[in-house]
Amino acid sequence: QAVFLLQAVGWRWWRFLNSSQKLAMDILPLLPTSPLSLAALPWTAAAHVFQHVSAKAADLGHLAWYLAHIEQYRQEQLAHANSVTYLDHAGAALYSRAQVLAGQAALLQGLLANPHTVPETEELIACVRTTVLHMFGASNDTHLVVFTSGATQGLQLVGENFAWTAGGTFMYANESHTSVLGLRQFARRAGCDCRSFQLGELRSLLHATGAGGSVVPFGAEDGDSCCSGERLSPRPEVASPVVHNLLALPGESNFCGTRAELSCIAELRSRPNPWRVLLDAAKLACTPGGLDLGRCPADFTVVSFYKMFGYPTGLGALILRRDAAIMLAPRRKAGGGGTGGPECALGPAYFGGGNVAAVSATSGFAVPRPELTSWLERGTPHYQGIVTLPSQLAAVSRAVGSDDVRRRHILAVCREAYLRTSALKHGCGRLLCTVFGSHQEEREQGQLKQHPHQWQWG
């Protein structure tokens, strides 16, 4: 009777905690099988049960963040997805019916024409630049927004225009996207040393010191165990008296979702010989509220809006700190005026429509426009997509919830997927999936999960 009573109390307790019947049945086998054994080990048994209950409760706590109306949202707003199970949010978000209608309404409010010839369109784009900065915790006083076709073009703009110097160092995380690895080509042409590091070792690399206390030994020594030691055949130019070093890292790994310790960036920039920091936030910005440039002083940050909202496609941004903008500004030959055209660290710089204030077809004369955004945005920008951006943000917030609500829902889905897939086993007891990432640490883990299947024989 005592055992029966204890089991009944346990069941009522779990009903009170809104737990499932399955959870209660998982705990019941842990209880003593007779009153005698309960009396012999009263505190040990109670502690054992409490520990098991606490672990189970922790595995269910995330479900409180799951949005109850999400199934209704799917039926009403994502009917075009039919019964597809969509798992490519790291590639592009799903656009909703409300977003498409909101975008159409924004375009039909007035006539939009080429901003190079219509000042009204340029004014609208300027307002959207401010909206983008506020979205990421920045302001016009500290940052600039350059609209691009996506994060990849933003990275290319940095590579083409950065003030590379012979003898400088380009450091990048091993977890970087392919588009970041492509920057090695620009660094090699400029005679820079290229090295890589593990994202989790950023803090330890930060404390490396060298001559004069400079942070340059981030891989400057061939024997540095923290770095790959790879030299990509830099050109044998004479080193510039002013050396510019660039460090590139993802805010969140595209492969496993591991996040960088972004608090290191402020210290990197405060050194006597500071590093310029390029943050690939294409994945990090997908998490609502995940990117806060007010707390993360990266010099250059790239994002893709279609990864965040799904619509419109072909639109991203390069966000620059104003105190770092000089690193991407075009240069002129000394005493040459505009006769030789604009140049960058790698030689004559390409320019297109809207980039120059004056140009000659019969000579090398070309004068870049004074605004850096005009210099970097080559050709006519995606002005229709740019103008619809505020409507996309508003549509998502109205239909799903605030940034915090959406972030918690995403965490709940990711946590539940991790718990279920990590528990899958073959009949022989071997784990079915290998899950990458640090899913036990929310601060270090983003909303991405890779789990390749394993054969039961390995």
Side-chain angles (χ1 to χ4, degrees):
Q1 292 178 348
V3 174
F4 177 79
L5 178 61
L6 186 58
Q7 291 176 338
V9 171
W11 170 242
R12 290 179 181 275
W13 174 249
W14 281 108
R15 287 290 299 273
F16 177 76
L17 293 179
N18 294 320
S19 298
S20 65
Q21 182 179 3
K22 180 179 182 303
L23 179 59
M25 297 307 295
D26 285 342
I27 297 172
L28 293 180
L30 298 174
L31 300 177
T33 57
S34 69
L36 181 60
S37 60
L38 178 62
L41 298 171
W43 301 110
T44 303
H48 183 57
V49 171
F50 180 78
Q51 181 180 6
H52 188 78
V53 168
S54 299
K56 288 293 183 179
D59 287 348
L60 290 175
H62 61 281
L63 294 180
W65 299 346
Y66 190 87
L67 296 178
H69 69 277
I70 203 67
E71 294 304 323
Q72 180 182 357
Y73 171 81
R74 178 184 176 91
Q75 294 175 7
E76 296 178 353
Q77 299 295 336
L78 302 177
H80 50 282
N82 298 319
S83 58
V84 172
T85 300
Y86 190 77
L87 300 176
D88 192 32
H89 279 272
L94 278 177
Y95 59 89
S96 67
R97 172 183 172 84
Q99 288 178 248
V100 175
L101 294 178
Q104 292 176 344
L107 294 177
L108 294 176
Q109 285 182 355
L111 178 64
L112 296 175
N114 194 318
H116 291 165
T117 54
V118 180
E120 290 79 9
T121 305
E122 180 57 40
E123 291 173 2
L124 289 175
I125 292 177
C127 292
V128 178
R129 294 186 203 272
T130 302
T131 301
V132 170
L133 290 177
H134 290 168
M135 186 190 311
F136 297 126
S139 71
N140 284 308
D141 296 332
T142 57
H143 290 77
L144 295 168
V145 173
V146 176
F147 286 113
T148 65
S149 63
T152 295
Q153 188 193 9
L155 293 168
Q156 182 182 5
L157 287 175
V158 173
E160 290 179 346
N161 295 277
F162 184 72
W164 302 102
T165 51
T169 302
F170 172 51
M171 285 282 289
Y172 56 91
N174 289 338
E175 295 84 350
S176 296
H177 191 272
T178 306
S179 301
V180 174
L181 302 184
L183 296 178
R184 294 183 304 200
Q185 307 302 94
F186 296 110
R188 292 173 63 183
R189 287 173 57 189
C192 296
D193 192 19
C194 299
R195 293 180 176 273
S196 64
F197 64 95
Q198 293 291 337
L199 194 59
E201 296 176 349
L202 180 60
R203 173 63 64 178
S204 60
L205 287 173
L206 182 63
H207 296 296
T209 58
S214 169
V215 77
V216 172
F218 257 79
E221 299 294 336
D222 289 336
D224 192 339
S225 60
C226 294
C227 302
S228 68
E230 177 190 13
R231 286 186 178 275
L232 298 179
S233 303
R235 295 189 308 177
E237 277 97 344
V238 178
S240 169
V242 178
V243 177
H244 298 139
N245 304 299
L246 180 65
L247 183 141
L249 72 162
E252 184 177 315
S253 170
N254 285 272
F255 172 70
C256 63
T258 299
R259 290 184 174 177
E261 192 173 353
L262 299 183
S263 59
C264 297
I265 294 180
E267 190 170 348
L268 276 169
R269 298 182 74 254
S270 65
R271 294 298 181 90
N273 186 15
W275 284 75
R276 296 297 182 176
V277 179
L278 169 59
L279 177 63
D280 177 8
K283 180 63 182 67
L284 179 63
C286 294
T287 301
L291 176 60
D292 186 353
L293 294 178
R295 302 174 58 185
C296 172
D299 296 283
F300 318 108
T301 304
V302 295
V303 296
S304 293
F305 293 115
Y306 61 87
K307 290 180 180 289
M308 299 170 58
F309 305 122
Y311 177 87
T313 58
L315 185 60
L318 165 62
I319 305 175
L320 308 90
R321 286 186 61 88
R322 287 186 178 273
D323 56 9
I326 189 64
M327 304 300 294
L328 303 187
R331 294 175 275 295
R332 303 177 187 174
K333 289 185 177 180
T339 56
E343 295 204 350
C344 62
L346 304 178
Y350 173 82
F351 57 86
N355 293 152
V356 293
V359 65
S360 170
T362 57
S363 69
F365 177 82
V367 178
R369 293 180 65 177
E371 306 88 1
L372 184 61
T373 54
S374 298
W375 168 248
L376 295 177
E377 290 178 354
R378 297 167 179 168
T380 301
H382 185 6
Y383 60 92
Q384 292 186 355
I386 293 171
V387 171
T388 63
L389 267 182
S391 68
Q392 300 306 297
L393 177 62
V396 171
S397 298
R398 283 195 302 266
V400 184
S402 64
D403 282 356
D404 186 61
V405 170
R406 284 181 283 130
R407 182 184 68 84
R408 288 180 175 273
H409 174 77
I410 294 170
L411 286 171
V413 174
C414 188
R415 178 66 178 172
E416 185 68 13
Y418 164 71
L419 292 174
R420 293 193 185 192
T421 54
S422 60
L424 294 175
K425 295 182 179 180
H426 289 286
C428 63
R430 184 181 180 88
L431 289 176
L432 176 65
C433 302
T434 297
V435 182
F436 296 95
S438 305
H439 291 271
Q440 301 303 325
E441 300 290 338
E442 179 182 333
R443 182 187 64 79
E444 299 178 0
Q445 180 63 39
Q447 287 69 58
L448 185 73
K449 184 170 63 65
Q450 296 274 4
H451 49 88
H453 295 175
Q454 302 183 83
W455 299 110
Q456 60 179 340
W457 54 85

